[in-house]
Amino acid sequence: DAMVIQNPRYQVTQFGKPVTLSCSQTLNHNVMYWYQQKSSQAPKLLFHYYDKDFNNEADTPDNFQSRRPNTSFCFLDIRSPGLGDAAMYLCATSIEGNQPQHFGDGTRLSIL
Amino acid sequence: GENVEQHPSTLSVQEGDSAVIKCTYSDSASNYFPWYKQELGKRPQLIIDIRSNVGEKKDQRIAVTLNKTAKHFSLHITETQPEDSAVYFCAASRGGGNKLTFGTGTQLKVEL
């Protein structure tokens, strides 16, 4: 059974049109992460939540925002997607810091 | 910040042979080193990890070795099978917020 669930699996949006990706977990893990992965590259951390504490990476564009309304859910909002934002977006969780991270299947975002 | 280098970028072996992938890290405070396997279009899956208080860890055909002095760690896969074909990522973390720094990945191809 999937423990980190991302919806949708595929998302198409128009240039500049806001889009929201969602992630839910059944593991009750404290930490949730959002990564961006482009073709043939390693996942790149955008931000993470330790419980309700939000941690943004220094090089994450302002165009990317995140919300974690409760333990189980986390959202990635892209306010004005550009062509360069087309990528796979991966959500991951871990029970605590410095513990194994469990990834969801990802959402592949395309920009028209 | 942490920098993780991974070699080789591509590796082709014959079925039944062994495969070795090597990573070096820069931050001597890093203490957690996971390895992820990612098949095409799928999520990264943790296959093995090691902490800095251990020099070697083995799980069936997979083993990881860590040399803290030299700041490098390696993944060893024995008796390779076609289903081992995937991209493998090493990563390092110094704890705290558990920010993983990934290597650039190794495309492993196991040929019949």
Side-chain angles (χ1 to χ4, degrees):
Chain A
D1 292 335
M3 296 176 287
V4 182
I5 303 162
Q6 292 189 244
N7 285 304
R9 291 294 312 278
Y10 301 92
Q11 176 74 55
V12 181
T13 192
Q14 292 179 337
F15 183 93
K17 184 175 181 180
V19 65
T20 295
L21 310 182
S22 73
C23 177
S24 64
Q25 54 137 337
T26 60
L27 299 165
N28 203 34
H29 283 175
N30 284 322
V31 196
M32 295 187 77
Y33 310 81
W34 279 105
Y35 290 89
Q36 180 192 65
Q37 187 176 31
K38 296 190 175 181
S39 182
S40 302
Q41 296 182 20
K44 178 181 181 297
L45 183 65
L46 296 173
F47 23 60
H48 75 277
Y49 276 93
Y50 190 103
D51 196 11
K52 296 180 181 179
D53 293 333
F54 176 70
N55 298 272
N56 196 35
E57 293 302 299
D59 57 355
T60 298
D62 292 339
N63 199 26
F64 291 82
Q65 305 281 318
S66 185
R67 296 170 283 136
R68 188 179 185 185
N70 54 52
T71 300
S72 300
F73 286 87
C74 197
F75 300 97
L76 170 62
D77 301 308
I78 309 176
R79 292 190 297 185
S80 182
L83 296 178
D85 297 327
M88 174 73 84
Y89 289 87
L90 293 162
C91 174
T93 73
S94 65
I95 189 166
E96 286 290 340
N98 220 28
Q99 294 295 321
Q101 293 189 18
H102 302 266
F103 284 83
D105 287 329
T107 293
R108 182 164 297 281
L109 178 66
S110 299
I111 314 295
L112 298 179
Chain B
E2 174 68 279
N3 182 50
V4 178
E5 294 187 358
Q6 183 171 347
H7 299 280
S9 58
T10 61
L11 179 60
S12 189
V13 299
Q14 294 293 315
E15 183 180 10
D17 287 350
S18 296
V20 181
I21 302 170
K22 299 182 179 181
C23 289
T24 60
Y25 60 99
S26 60
D27 187 349
S28 57
S30 289
N31 55 21
Y32 176 61
F33 308 93
W35 285 88
Y36 285 87
K37 174 185 179 182
Q38 188 174 28
E39 297 177 61
L40 188 63
K42 297 190 176 181
R43 59 183 166 154
Q45 288 193 295
L46 180 70
I47 56 171
I48 197 166
D49 57 9
I50 193 168
R51 297 193 182 270
S52 59
N53 58 344
V54 176
E56 184 175 359
K57 184 176 178 181
K58 190 174 181 181
D59 183 3
Q60 299 183 345
R61 296 186 298 109
I62 295 173
V64 56
T65 58
L66 171 64
N67 183 326
K68 285 189 295 182
T69 303
K71 290 189 283 188
H72 65 70
F73 57 113
S74 300
L75 177 70
H76 305 255
I77 305 174
T78 59
E79 300 172 23
T80 53
Q81 301 167 3
E83 51 265 39
D84 294 328
S85 296
V87 178
Y88 291 80
F89 291 101
C90 63
S93 169
R94 64 181 297 170
N98 192 25
K99 175 183 174 180
L100 284 179
T101 300
F102 283 87
T104 49
T106 296
Q107 175 73 62
L108 174 65
K109 184 176 180 182
V110 180
E111 297 175 332
L112 297 172

